């Protein structure tokens, strides 16, 4: 597993959106803007059980994600690797924390009937710039 450079840890504290690429059943790529966090080892993406990215990752766990600095679009980190765990544990609190950071709302104002999951991405290839 590669390490994310400490010089880019601040991207996980800003309103820096990630762009998550998964693979569809027909082999074509699918990209979704996502809220992201970092636990010191894995990139964490929160989604709802049954959504397209959840289904795609279940079928093929390899993903790519980039996180671009909202203050300097030439500064970013790009990661490729597998989703090594999909868990419901802590997912509701995680989406509430992300909602606070990204839109200033706590708790998350989205549908409360969804089952939230965290996708844990292990960085195998890391590229950073800026």
């Amino acid at each position: 597993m590669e390490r994310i450079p400490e010089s880019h840890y601040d991207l996980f504290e800003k309103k820096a959106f990630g762009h998550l690429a998964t693979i569809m059943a027909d082999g074509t790529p699918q990209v979704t803007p996502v809220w992201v966090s970092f636990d010191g080892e894995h990139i964490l993406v929160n989604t709802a059980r049954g959504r397209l990215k959840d289904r795609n990752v279940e079928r093929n766990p390899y993903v790519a994600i980039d996180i671009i600095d909202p203050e300097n679009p030439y500064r970013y980190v790009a990661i490729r690797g597998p989703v090594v765990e999909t868990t419901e544990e802590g997912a509701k609190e995680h989406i509430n924390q992300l909602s606070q950071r990204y839109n200033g709302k706590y708790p998350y104002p989205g549908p409360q009937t969804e089952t939230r999951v965290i996708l844990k991405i292990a960085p195998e290839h890391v590229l950073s710039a800026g």
Side-chain angles (χ1 to χ4, degrees):
M1 185 159 46
E2 278 195 49
R3 303 278 309 154
I4 293 172
E6 288 184 28
S7 61
H8 286 65
Y9 282 8
D10 66 305
L11 295 178
F12 300 99
E13 298 167 8
K14 298 179 175 188
K15 282 184 168 182
F17 283 79
H19 302 92
L20 179 70
T22 62
I23 302 298
M24 300 286 288
D26 66 1
T28 59
Q30 189 272 335
V31 178
T32 305
V34 293
W35 295 345
V36 297
S37 65
F38 180 57
D39 68 5
E41 185 176 353
H42 300 99
I43 306 300
L44 308 179
V45 173
N46 197 298
T47 189
R49 183 71 71 199
R51 285 200 182 157
L52 184 57
K53 58 187 156 294
D54 178 52
R55 296 190 318 264
N56 285 348
V57 164
E58 188 175 301
R59 188 176 46 262
N60 181 344
Y62 282 89
V63 299
I65 187 167
D66 67 14
I67 299 104
I68 299 170
D69 189 333
E71 298 160 17
N72 176 1
Y74 298 102
R75 182 172 178 265
Y76 65 89
V77 63
I79 297 114
R80 287 181 290 139
V83 172
V84 293
E85 183 180 359
T86 300
T87 182
E88 294 176 20
E89 186 176 331
K92 187 170 175 106
E93 181 56 29
H94 183 244
I95 194 63
N96 288 336
Q97 291 168 353
L98 291 172
S99 179
Q100 177 69 45
R101 176 163 38 113
Y102 281 93
N103 67 20
K105 296 182 179 177
Y106 189 99
Y108 173 63
Q112 300 301 307
T113 56
E114 296 177 315
T115 300
R116 303 301 306 187
V117 295
I118 298 172
L119 308 176
K120 293 185 177 185
I121 303 165
E124 286 188 347
H125 303 280
V126 178
L127 173 67
S128 62

